[in-house]
Amino acid sequence: MSDREAVTHTIGELSREFGCTPRALRYYEALELLSPSRRGKHRVYSYRDRARLRLILRGKRLRLRLEEIRQILELYEPGRTRPQDEVTLDKYREQLVALEAQRQDVDDAITELVSACDVIERRLRTPT
Amino acid sequence: MSDREAVTHTIGELSREFGCTPRALRYYEALELLSPSRRGKHRVYSYRDRARLRLILRGKRLRLRLEEIRQILELYEPGRTRPQDEVTLDKYREQLVALEAQRQDVDDAITELVSACDVIERRLRTPT
DNA sequence: TTGCTCCTCACGTCACGTGAGGTGGC
DNA sequence: TTGCTCCTCACGTCACGTGAGGTGGC
């Protein structure tokens, strides 16, 4: 067993390292995204759990839903094969379409807000 | 009483016209964003209610929270005055900052997704 | 009588936040 | 004994979606 595999973490350590709350880690466990072992009642996170958490948070940055992240994690369990890569690629491309729509949305909102601000500013400048 | 003031709407008409569900209109009422009168138990929406709904949906396009929308609607009840305009302007500017952060977020996610797709595509092209 | 629209609960969704109350080892 | 970190419920948040079961007028 290499050193790397022997390293374990508490829930506090991991949440501090990745900037999330312990509650979030427990929630990921409830959704079966993580399954740390126990020492008594306390959770013990292995090197592999830590790697999975990194992937989970990456998925969140990509704005995937936890359920989608769970499916992707499942795919990468035994060893990568082409069909698994293709499934992941499909999910990513779908998400890309969704994100581009979202960007358009936000851009529209910004445009609308800027002109709304203009209207009010103009009104404030007109004498009473 | 002008024609315009005499026009009323059912919940079904309004939700169809604005592309939202009846449930949403009832929810806005529960939050006191709308307060239609009643004919028996049925809701009757006046011209003014309709105008408020338009403002609500505009706020949603601007990605404001319903509670914030409620505050803005309150400001415009009796007649506009400078302080009210200034409060609205402040809210809008805050929201603009939030939206710009969100756009950056989405852009980052898109960039990350595109390169994640690249990695997988490259792997798929390499022979087994 | 059948359809349609409307009504009021009230639970479900999503990703946690936030106490409450308790345990265990330094 | 005091602090600290951990634990398990379990309710709250936000903006509705989704039945369930019932009413009223054409």
Side-chain angles (χ1 to χ4, degrees):
Chain A
M1 205 193 279
S2 75
D3 270 8
R4 149 184 291 185
E5 276 164 2
V7 174
T8 63
H9 311 272
T10 66
I11 195 169
E13 285 165 12
L14 268 197
S15 56
R16 267 189 302 277
E17 178 179 353
F18 288 99
C20 51
T21 65
R23 177 69 176 99
L25 297 194
R26 292 188 191 108
Y27 184 62
Y28 300 154
E29 184 175 344
L31 296 189
E32 300 183 44
L33 294 169
L34 291 176
S35 28
S37 55
R38 303 287 169 135
R39 190 173 298 147
K41 306 193 88 185
H42 288 216
R43 290 168 176 81
V44 176
Y45 295 87
S46 69
Y47 173 78
R48 295 186 70 78
D49 291 320
R50 189 163 165 280
R52 281 176 76 90
L53 178 55
R54 195 189 295 285
L55 286 173
I56 292 166
L57 297 178
R58 183 163 187 288
K60 277 176 65 68
R61 282 201 304 283
L62 300 182
R63 306 225 165 191
L64 292 166
R65 301 185 150 212
L66 292 179
E67 178 53 29
E68 301 176 297
I69 294 175
R70 200 183 57 71
Q71 288 169 23
I72 291 180
L73 285 176
E74 259 176 25
L75 294 177
Y76 285 94
E77 262 315 289
R80 319 194 153 144
T81 64
R82 264 144 205 290
Q84 288 164 2
D85 269 354
E86 272 155 16
V87 172
T88 302
L89 196 53
D90 279 354
K91 276 190 199 301
Y92 279 6
R93 284 177 174 150
E94 267 177 45
Q95 180 62 4
L96 207 45
V97 172
L99 282 179
E100 269 153 7
Q102 202 173 328
R103 175 163 63 178
Q104 189 58 53
D105 244 39
V106 173
D107 278 352
D108 290 350
I110 288 175
T111 304
E112 197 167 351
L113 255 186
V114 167
S115 79
C117 284
D118 277 0
V119 168
I120 298 180
E121 280 165 7
R122 203 162 303 145
R123 194 157 65 218
L124 283 172
R125 274 198 305 274
T126 23
T128 313
Chain B
M1 208 193 278
S2 74
D3 271 7
R4 148 184 292 184
E5 277 165 0
V7 173
T8 63
H9 313 272
T10 67
I11 194 168
E13 287 165 11
L14 267 197
S15 56
R16 269 190 300 279
E17 178 180 352
F18 288 100
C20 51
T21 65
R23 176 70 176 97
L25 296 194
R26 293 188 191 108
Y27 184 62
Y28 300 154
E29 184 176 344
L31 296 189
E32 299 183 47
L33 293 169
L34 292 176
S35 26
S37 53
R38 304 285 169 135
R39 191 175 295 147
K41 306 193 88 185
H42 288 217
R43 289 169 176 80
V44 176
Y45 295 88
S46 68
Y47 173 78
R48 295 186 68 79
D49 291 319
R50 189 164 165 279
R52 281 176 77 91
L53 177 56
R54 195 189 296 284
L55 286 173
I56 292 167
L57 298 178
R58 183 162 187 289
K60 277 177 64 68
R61 283 201 305 282
L62 301 182
R63 306 227 164 187
L64 292 165
R65 302 186 148 209
L66 292 179
E67 178 54 28
E68 301 176 297
I69 294 175
R70 199 183 57 72
Q71 287 168 23
I72 291 179
L73 285 175
E74 257 177 25
L75 294 178
Y76 286 93
E77 263 314 290
R80 317 191 155 145
T81 64
R82 264 146 206 285
Q84 288 164 2
D85 269 353
E86 272 156 15
V87 172
T88 302
L89 195 54
D90 279 354
K91 277 190 199 303
Y92 279 6
R93 284 178 175 151
E94 266 178 45
Q95 180 63 3
L96 206 45
V97 171
L99 281 179
E100 270 154 7
Q102 201 174 327
R103 174 163 64 177
Q104 189 58 53
D105 245 41
V106 173
D107 278 353
D108 289 351
I110 288 175
T111 304
E112 196 166 349
L113 255 185
V114 168
S115 79
C117 285
D118 277 0
V119 168
I120 297 180
E121 279 164 9
R122 204 163 302 147
R123 195 157 63 217
L124 284 173
R125 274 199 307 274
T126 21
T128 313

